[in-house]
mmCIF file of all heavy atoms in Angstrom:
data_model
loop_
_atom_site.group_PDB
_atom_site.id
_atom_site.type_symbol
_atom_site.label_atom_id
_atom_site.label_comp_id
_atom_site.label_asym_id
_atom_site.label_seq_id
_atom_site.Cartn_x
_atom_site.Cartn_y
_atom_site.Cartn_z
ATOM 1 N N GLU P 1 107.540 98.947 91.986
ATOM 2 C CA GLU P 1 108.892 98.346 92.204
ATOM 3 C C GLU P 1 109.018 98.071 93.638
ATOM 4 O O GLU P 1 108.346 98.789 94.478
ATOM 5 C CB GLU P 1 109.911 99.444 91.798
ATOM 6 C CG GLU P 1 109.918 99.931 90.365
ATOM 7 C CD GLU P 1 110.515 98.871 89.401
ATOM 8 O OE1 GLU P 1 111.274 98.047 89.904
ATOM 9 O OE2 GLU P 1 110.224 98.999 88.281
ATOM 10 N N GLY P 2 109.924 97.243 94.048
ATOM 11 C CA GLY P 2 110.191 97.024 95.551
ATOM 12 C C GLY P 2 111.122 95.919 95.810
ATOM 13 O O GLY P 2 111.425 95.076 94.951
ATOM 14 N N LEU P 3 111.679 96.058 97.004
ATOM 15 C CA LEU P 3 112.565 94.959 97.504
ATOM 16 C C LEU P 3 112.671 95.024 98.980
ATOM 17 O O LEU P 3 112.238 96.036 99.620
ATOM 18 C CB LEU P 3 113.999 95.200 96.876
ATOM 19 C CG LEU P 3 114.905 96.318 97.180
ATOM 20 C CD1 LEU P 3 115.637 96.206 98.483
ATOM 21 C CD2 LEU P 3 115.702 96.636 96.010
ATOM 22 N N VAL P 4 113.102 93.870 99.541
ATOM 23 C CA VAL P 4 113.213 93.743 100.911
ATOM 24 C C VAL P 4 114.651 93.196 101.219
ATOM 25 O O VAL P 4 114.986 92.306 100.474
ATOM 26 C CB VAL P 4 112.146 92.786 101.642
ATOM 27 C CG1 VAL P 4 112.472 92.595 103.117
ATOM 28 C CG2 VAL P 4 110.755 93.331 101.394
ATOM 29 N N GLU P 5 115.347 93.879 102.121
ATOM 30 C CA GLU P 5 116.626 93.298 102.480
ATOM 31 C C GLU P 5 116.575 92.795 103.980
ATOM 32 O O GLU P 5 116.118 93.599 104.855
ATOM 33 C CB GLU P 5 117.743 94.367 102.242
ATOM 34 C CG GLU P 5 117.930 94.653 100.813
ATOM 35 C CD GLU P 5 119.252 95.437 100.539
ATOM 36 O OE1 GLU P 5 119.975 95.838 101.387
ATOM 37 O OE2 GLU P 5 119.470 95.567 99.366
ATOM 38 N N MET P 6 116.987 91.570 104.106
ATOM 39 C CA MET P 6 116.975 90.993 105.473
ATOM 40 C C MET P 6 118.380 90.816 105.982
ATOM 41 O O MET P 6 119.265 90.261 105.191
ATOM 42 C CB MET P 6 116.286 89.594 105.377
ATOM 43 C CG MET P 6 114.837 89.711 104.823
ATOM 44 S SD MET P 6 113.695 90.639 105.768
ATOM 45 C CE MET P 6 113.628 89.521 107.327
ATOM 46 N N ASN P 7 118.532 91.225 107.175
ATOM 47 C CA ASN P 7 119.899 90.943 107.827
ATOM 48 C C ASN P 7 119.750 90.058 109.041
ATOM 49 O O ASN P 7 119.092 90.364 110.014
ATOM 50 C CB ASN P 7 120.422 92.329 108.349
ATOM 51 C CG ASN P 7 121.749 92.307 108.843
ATOM 52 O OD1 ASN P 7 122.134 91.438 109.747
ATOM 53 N ND2 ASN P 7 122.591 93.164 108.425
ATOM 54 N N PHE P 8 120.242 88.831 108.907
ATOM 55 C CA PHE P 8 120.118 87.796 109.978
ATOM 56 C C PHE P 8 121.111 88.077 111.038
ATOM 57 O O PHE P 8 120.874 87.358 112.186
ATOM 58 C CB PHE P 8 120.228 86.446 109.349
ATOM 59 C CG PHE P 8 119.034 86.151 108.408
ATOM 60 C CD1 PHE P 8 119.200 86.173 107.106
ATOM 61 C CD2 PHE P 8 117.747 85.917 108.921
ATOM 62 C CE1 PHE P 8 118.221 85.951 106.243
ATOM 63 C CE2 PHE P 8 116.676 85.772 108.105
ATOM 64 C CZ PHE P 8 116.879 85.759 106.763
ATOM 65 N N ASP P 9 122.135 88.835 110.876
ATOM 66 C CA ASP P 9 123.109 89.094 111.977
ATOM 67 C C ASP P 9 122.383 90.165 113.003
ATOM 68 O O ASP P 9 122.404 90.051 114.175
ATOM 69 C CB ASP P 9 124.473 89.628 111.543
ATOM 70 C CG ASP P 9 125.134 88.648 110.702
ATOM 71 O OD1 ASP P 9 124.960 87.400 110.962
ATOM 72 O OD2 ASP P 9 125.849 89.068 109.772
ATOM 73 N N LEU P 10 121.895 91.215 112.424
ATOM 74 C CA LEU P 10 121.161 92.274 113.145
ATOM 75 C C LEU P 10 119.738 92.265 112.719
ATOM 76 O O LEU P 10 119.348 92.935 111.870
ATOM 77 C CB LEU P 10 121.764 93.609 112.731
ATOM 78 C CG LEU P 10 123.279 93.815 113.044
ATOM 79 C CD1 LEU P 10 123.800 95.100 112.400
ATOM 80 C CD2 LEU P 10 123.579 93.739 114.432
ATOM 81 N N GLN P 11 118.912 91.431 113.442
ATOM 82 C CA GLN P 11 117.547 91.209 113.024
ATOM 83 C C GLN P 11 116.718 92.411 113.017
ATOM 84 O O GLN P 11 115.627 92.470 112.405
ATOM 85 C CB GLN P 11 116.887 90.151 113.844
ATOM 86 C CG GLN P 11 117.471 88.749 113.607
ATOM 87 C CD GLN P 11 116.608 87.661 114.215
ATOM 88 O OE1 GLN P 11 115.633 87.960 114.813
ATOM 89 N NE2 GLN P 11 117.058 86.409 113.849
ATOM 90 N N ASN P 12 117.084 93.528 113.680
ATOM 91 C CA ASN P 12 116.339 94.726 113.664
ATOM 92 C C ASN P 12 116.826 95.740 112.658
ATOM 93 O O ASN P 12 116.469 96.806 112.480
ATOM 94 C CB ASN P 12 116.281 95.361 115.041
ATOM 95 C CG ASN P 12 117.745 95.858 115.404
ATOM 96 O OD1 ASN P 12 118.670 95.450 114.806
ATOM 97 N ND2 ASN P 12 117.764 96.738 116.397
ATOM 98 N N ASN P 13 117.654 95.262 111.709
ATOM 99 C CA ASN P 13 118.196 96.000 110.661
ATOM 100 C C ASN P 13 117.685 95.695 109.295
ATOM 101 O O ASN P 13 118.387 95.806 108.248
ATOM 102 C CB ASN P 13 119.763 95.839 110.682
ATOM 103 C CG ASN P 13 120.435 97.109 110.153
ATOM 104 O OD1 ASN P 13 119.932 98.247 110.041
ATOM 105 N ND2 ASN P 13 121.708 96.966 109.663
ATOM 106 N N ASN P 14 116.488 95.126 109.239
ATOM 107 C CA ASN P 14 115.851 94.742 107.982
ATOM 108 C C ASN P 14 115.230 96.031 107.394
ATOM 109 O O ASN P 14 114.851 97.019 108.127
ATOM 110 C CB ASN P 14 114.808 93.650 108.270
ATOM 111 C CG ASN P 14 115.403 92.528 108.931
ATOM 112 O OD1 ASN P 14 116.338 91.862 108.480
ATOM 113 N ND2 ASN P 14 114.850 92.065 110.021
ATOM 114 N N ARG P 15 115.029 96.074 106.015
ATOM 115 C CA ARG P 15 114.438 97.239 105.504
ATOM 116 C C ARG P 15 113.698 96.858 104.169
ATOM 117 O O ARG P 15 114.109 95.907 103.406
ATOM 118 C CB ARG P 15 115.500 98.178 104.994
ATOM 119 C CG ARG P 15 114.965 99.492 104.553
ATOM 120 C CD ARG P 15 116.085 100.535 104.522
ATOM 121 N NE ARG P 15 115.495 101.791 104.144
ATOM 122 C CZ ARG P 15 116.166 102.918 103.929
ATOM 123 N NH1 ARG P 15 117.558 102.905 104.054
ATOM 124 N NH2 ARG P 15 115.658 104.017 103.638
ATOM 125 N N ALA P 16 112.527 97.491 103.914
ATOM 126 C CA ALA P 16 111.757 97.350 102.679
ATOM 127 C C ALA P 16 111.449 98.661 102.111
ATOM 128 O O ALA P 16 111.167 99.605 102.892
ATOM 129 C CB ALA P 16 110.455 96.535 102.970
ATOM 130 N N ILE P 17 111.401 98.736 100.807
ATOM 131 C CA ILE P 17 111.049 99.973 100.071
ATOM 132 C C ILE P 17 110.288 99.645 98.804
ATOM 133 O O ILE P 17 110.638 98.773 98.131
ATOM 134 C CB ILE P 17 112.377 100.860 99.824
ATOM 135 C CG1 ILE P 17 111.869 102.230 99.350
ATOM 136 C CG2 ILE P 17 113.210 100.154 98.867
ATOM 137 C CD1 ILE P 17 113.068 103.197 99.368
ATOM 138 N N PHE P 18 109.288 100.277 98.662
ATOM 139 C CA PHE P 18 108.301 100.160 97.553
ATOM 140 C C PHE P 18 107.920 101.427 96.870
ATOM 141 O O PHE P 18 107.729 102.426 97.611
ATOM 142 C CB PHE P 18 107.037 99.285 97.946
ATOM 143 C CG PHE P 18 107.336 97.898 98.469
ATOM 144 C CD1 PHE P 18 107.635 97.718 99.819
ATOM 145 C CD2 PHE P 18 107.469 96.869 97.622
ATOM 146 C CE1 PHE P 18 107.876 96.456 100.356
ATOM 147 C CE2 PHE P 18 107.696 95.605 98.056
ATOM 148 C CZ PHE P 18 107.989 95.341 99.350
ATOM 149 N N SER P 19 107.807 101.428 95.608
ATOM 150 C CA SER P 19 107.318 102.631 94.911
ATOM 151 C C SER P 19 106.281 102.377 93.914
ATOM 152 O O SER P 19 106.174 101.212 93.387
ATOM 153 C CB SER P 19 108.591 103.327 94.260
ATOM 154 O OG SER P 19 108.977 102.459 93.173
ATOM 155 N N VAL P 20 105.524 103.331 93.607
ATOM 156 C CA VAL P 20 104.530 103.217 92.499
ATOM 157 C C VAL P 20 104.751 104.453 91.603
ATOM 158 O O VAL P 20 105.161 105.543 92.012
ATOM 159 C CB VAL P 20 103.071 103.328 92.916
ATOM 160 C CG1 VAL P 20 102.768 102.085 93.796
ATOM 161 C CG2 VAL P 20 102.780 104.575 93.695
ATOM 162 N N ASN P 21 104.611 104.111 90.189
ATOM 163 C CA ASN P 21 104.592 105.187 89.198
ATOM 164 C C ASN P 21 103.254 105.818 89.218
ATOM 165 O O ASN P 21 102.257 105.149 88.794
ATOM 166 C CB ASN P 21 105.085 104.653 87.923
ATOM 167 C CG ASN P 21 105.083 105.641 86.817
ATOM 168 O OD1 ASN P 21 104.564 106.755 86.889
ATOM 169 N ND2 ASN P 21 105.601 105.209 85.680
ATOM 170 N N ILE P 22 103.079 107.062 89.589
ATOM 171 C CA ILE P 22 101.853 107.750 89.717
ATOM 172 C C ILE P 22 101.145 107.637 88.272
ATOM 173 O O ILE P 22 99.867 107.349 88.226
ATOM 174 C CB ILE P 22 101.930 109.157 90.071
ATOM 175 C CG1 ILE P 22 102.582 109.275 91.491
ATOM 176 C CG2 ILE P 22 100.651 109.885 89.968
ATOM 177 C CD1 ILE P 22 101.694 108.602 92.578
ATOM 178 N N GLU P 23 101.822 107.807 87.171
ATOM 179 C CA GLU P 23 101.106 107.860 85.826
ATOM 180 C C GLU P 23 100.610 106.456 85.550
ATOM 181 O O GLU P 23 99.736 106.418 84.632
ATOM 182 C CB GLU P 23 102.195 108.280 84.786
ATOM 183 C CG GLU P 23 101.542 108.549 83.527
ATOM 184 C CD GLU P 23 102.460 109.328 82.491
ATOM 185 O OE1 GLU P 23 103.669 109.275 82.776
ATOM 186 O OE2 GLU P 23 101.896 109.790 81.583
ATOM 187 N N SER P 24 100.959 105.406 86.259
ATOM 188 C CA SER P 24 100.491 104.020 85.880
ATOM 189 C C SER P 24 99.107 103.778 86.516
ATOM 190 O O SER P 24 98.648 102.749 86.373
ATOM 191 C CB SER P 24 101.485 102.985 86.303
ATOM 192 O OG SER P 24 101.462 102.828 87.736
ATOM 193 N N VAL P 25 98.556 104.755 87.115
ATOM 194 C CA VAL P 25 97.259 104.566 87.829
ATOM 195 C C VAL P 25 96.123 104.346 86.805
ATOM 196 O O VAL P 25 96.011 104.952 85.753
ATOM 197 C CB VAL P 25 96.895 105.712 88.663
ATOM 198 C CG1 VAL P 25 96.581 106.975 88.032
ATOM 199 C CG2 VAL P 25 95.828 105.368 89.707
ATOM 200 N N GLU P 26 95.263 103.296 87.157
ATOM 201 C CA GLU P 26 94.018 103.133 86.449
ATOM 202 C C GLU P 26 92.943 103.279 87.457
ATOM 203 O O GLU P 26 92.986 102.677 88.527
ATOM 204 C CB GLU P 26 94.083 101.767 85.818
ATOM 205 C CG GLU P 26 94.994 101.586 84.678
ATOM 206 C CD GLU P 26 94.917 100.223 83.992
ATOM 207 O OE1 GLU P 26 94.081 99.367 84.344
ATOM 208 O OE2 GLU P 26 95.735 99.946 83.081
ATOM 209 N N ILE P 27 91.856 103.989 87.084
ATOM 210 C CA ILE P 27 90.696 104.165 87.973
ATOM 211 C C ILE P 27 89.416 103.898 87.327
ATOM 212 O O ILE P 27 89.379 103.932 86.066
ATOM 213 C CB ILE P 27 90.705 105.646 88.535
ATOM 214 C CG1 ILE P 27 90.667 106.730 87.518
ATOM 215 C CG2 ILE P 27 91.983 105.913 89.437
ATOM 216 C CD1 ILE P 27 90.405 108.113 87.992
ATOM 217 N N ASN P 28 88.372 103.657 88.113
ATOM 218 C CA ASN P 28 87.025 103.362 87.539
ATOM 219 C C ASN P 28 86.418 104.660 86.909
ATOM 220 O O ASN P 28 85.539 104.434 86.086
ATOM 221 C CB ASN P 28 86.202 102.761 88.623
ATOM 222 C CG ASN P 28 86.008 103.594 89.837
ATOM 223 O OD1 ASN P 28 86.795 104.384 90.253
ATOM 224 N ND2 ASN P 28 84.928 103.460 90.493
ATOM 225 N N TYR P 29 86.718 105.868 87.398
ATOM 226 C CA TYR P 29 86.328 107.071 86.701
ATOM 227 C C TYR P 29 87.255 107.485 85.686
ATOM 228 O O TYR P 29 87.960 108.526 85.796
ATOM 229 C CB TYR P 29 86.091 108.134 87.769
ATOM 230 C CG TYR P 29 85.014 107.927 88.739
ATOM 231 C CD1 TYR P 29 85.103 107.342 89.957
ATOM 232 C CD2 TYR P 29 83.591 108.267 88.295
ATOM 233 C CE1 TYR P 29 83.984 107.150 90.824
ATOM 234 C CE2 TYR P 29 82.639 108.101 89.185
ATOM 235 C CZ TYR P 29 82.765 107.577 90.443
ATOM 236 O OH TYR P 29 81.673 107.455 91.218
ATOM 237 N N SER P 30 87.397 106.749 84.506
ATOM 238 C CA SER P 30 88.446 106.988 83.600
ATOM 239 C C SER P 30 88.447 108.450 82.981
ATOM 240 O O SER P 30 89.448 108.949 82.642
ATOM 241 C CB SER P 30 88.412 105.994 82.498
ATOM 242 O OG SER P 30 87.197 105.978 81.899
#
């Protein structure tokens, strides 16, 4: 999941946040 919020009035006030669901992991050593 994730999103980025951009603020063009305060250009140093942008923010991004991303998450992963740990249980959704797939690995080569199943």
Side-chain angles (χ1 to χ4, degrees):
E1 300 281 340
L3 62 89
V4 175
E5 291 195 358
M6 303 296 292
N7 186 312
F8 294 104
D9 296 330
L10 303 169
Q11 288 193 357
N12 65 344
N13 205 22
N14 303 308
R15 188 167 184 189
I17 189 165
F18 295 92
S19 68
V20 297
N21 177 346
I22 297 299
E23 191 169 17
S24 74
V25 70
E26 291 184 4
I27 60 172
N28 58 331
Y29 287 98
S30 58

